[in-house]
Amino acid sequence: MRILSLILLILCVSCAKSNKETPEKPVGVTDSLAGIRPETVVDSSKLVKVVYNNDRGTYYDKEAYEGFKKWFNKLNPNYISAPRVAQEIYLKEKIAADKSNAEYKVASDQKFHYLYAHFIQKRNGIETYAELRKKTVAIFSRINAINCELDYDCGIYFSFQRTAIAAYAEYAINNYKTYPYAFEKKYPIGKQKSLYLQMLKQKIADGLEEMSTEKYSQYGRLKKDKREEYKKGVLIYVNQLDSLIQTHFDLSVAQQYQYGHYQ
């Protein structure tokens, strides 16, 4: 027994030493939306604090964070306001106009939408809706990417939308959580989904055709084979949406986002 105990003791010490010598590697966070153009979308599930930029670098502004939190909770005690509505209300508030207030820093689109997504996500449940969140952000990002490509140069509006995607995805999840019966349809979505995807394909065809005739369009300067290659690249996003849209909720929020933000 003494020999056995001694062996066990040596093994335990050896394991402990090994653990000390080999520290745990930090868990890397990989953007699930990397590789699409626009390249990245803010995924609110990774948002844990608010970071602001200044001439000294970056820092965490706790005062602004806490101030916005109080305002947000006061605005949304029961009913959650949509991102666009909430921001319109916020911009009319004195705190958003008074530069002496820490909350003034949150008035910009990017910072406002980051915080909006962050606090609604906490209400929705970070783990509870993790997969639905990932899919909804993916759907919205591809819709934004399609419309961005039809602008060729991807203007400022689409950059703003990349930031806002997390906020609108979280709002969609809140609606699903609050009104689940609205998305529990019994009929199949096949035909409606097909029509929606066909609309996107027609929009792509018409948009690219229009760009090809514009006087100063960079797309119009491309050779025919390059135009076809470009079109195929845009249609990839439609194919991805075909795979992503599987439920009434997926189709409903895709249509709402498309028609609510793009002509």
Side-chain angles (χ1 to χ4, degrees), residues 26-40:
V27 178
V29 178
T30 303
D31 194 325
S32 60
L33 304 169
I36 70 163
R37 180 184 173 199
E39 286 77 11
T40 58

Side-chain angles (χ1 to χ4, degrees), residues 143 146-147 150 195-205 235 237-238 241 258:
I143 292 172
I146 289 170
N147 288 276
L150 295 181
L195 288 170
Y196 172 65
L197 296 178
Q198 187 59 44
M199 180 280 297
L200 289 177
K201 290 178 182 178
Q202 189 62 51
K203 180 181 175 72
I204 291 168
L235 288 171
Y237 297 130
V238 180
L241 284 172
Q258 168 70 43

Side-chain angles (χ1 to χ4, degrees), residues 78-260:
N78 298 306
Y79 173 78
I80 299 293
S81 297
R84 184 177 292 168
V85 174
Q87 188 171 32
E88 287 175 357
I89 295 172
Y90 187 79
L91 291 174
K92 293 177 182 177
E93 297 278 359
K94 291 181 180 179
I95 56 174
D98 185 357
K99 294 184 180 181
S100 64
N101 286 323
E103 293 93 324
Y104 167 79
K105 303 167 189 174
V106 184
S108 73
D109 282 337
Q110 186 183 56
K111 294 163 187 173
F112 180 90
H113 285 112
Y114 280 178
L115 284 171
Y116 177 98
H118 178 59
F119 288 117
I120 292 192
Q121 178 184 263
K122 292 176 73 174
R123 291 192 183 193
N124 288 340
I126 295 174
E127 296 299 330
T128 306
Y129 294 101
E131 289 304 313
L132 184 62
R133 177 176 298 113
K134 183 178 178 181
K135 178 190 277 192
T136 305
V137 169
I139 289 172
F140 289 0
S141 71
R142 279 147 182 81
I143 292 172
N144 186 58
I146 289 170
N147 288 276
C148 178
E149 297 286 11
L150 295 181
D151 192 66
Y152 196 80
D153 294 325
C154 282
I156 294 175
Y157 177 78
F158 304 101
S159 296
F160 285 158
Q161 286 305 107
R162 291 205 305 272
T163 302
I165 279 172
Y168 280 97
E170 215 60 57
Y171 178 66
I173 293 170
N174 172 76
N175 287 338
Y176 176 79
K177 175 184 177 182
T178 308
Y179 314 106
Y181 52 85
F183 303 100
E184 294 173 354
K185 307 297 183 183
K186 302 299 181 183
Y187 56 81
I189 66 167
K191 290 185 178 180
Q192 290 189 47
K193 173 181 168 180
S194 178
L195 288 170
Y196 172 65
L197 296 178
Q198 187 59 44
M199 180 280 297
L200 289 177
K201 290 178 182 178
Q202 189 62 51
K203 180 181 175 72
I204 291 168
D206 294 342
L208 294 180
E209 177 63 27
E210 182 180 39
M211 279 204 297
S212 69
T213 61
E214 290 177 352
K215 188 175 181 180
Y216 300 106
S217 169
Q218 292 186 44
Y219 175 80
R221 297 172 186 172
L222 296 176
K223 293 182 180 179
K224 186 176 179 180
D225 59 330
K226 291 296 182 182
R227 290 185 193 177
E228 286 299 316
E229 185 180 335
Y230 187 88
K231 183 178 181 179
K232 288 179 181 178
V234 183
L235 288 171
I236 287 174
Y237 297 130
V238 180
N239 293 335
Q240 291 174 343
L241 284 172
D242 191 5
S243 299
L244 286 165
I245 297 174
Q246 301 170 336
T247 67
H248 286 277
F249 173 81
D250 299 337
L251 180 60
S252 176
V253 297
Q255 291 172 322
Q256 289 174 12
Y257 186 72
Q258 168 70 43
Y259 299 130

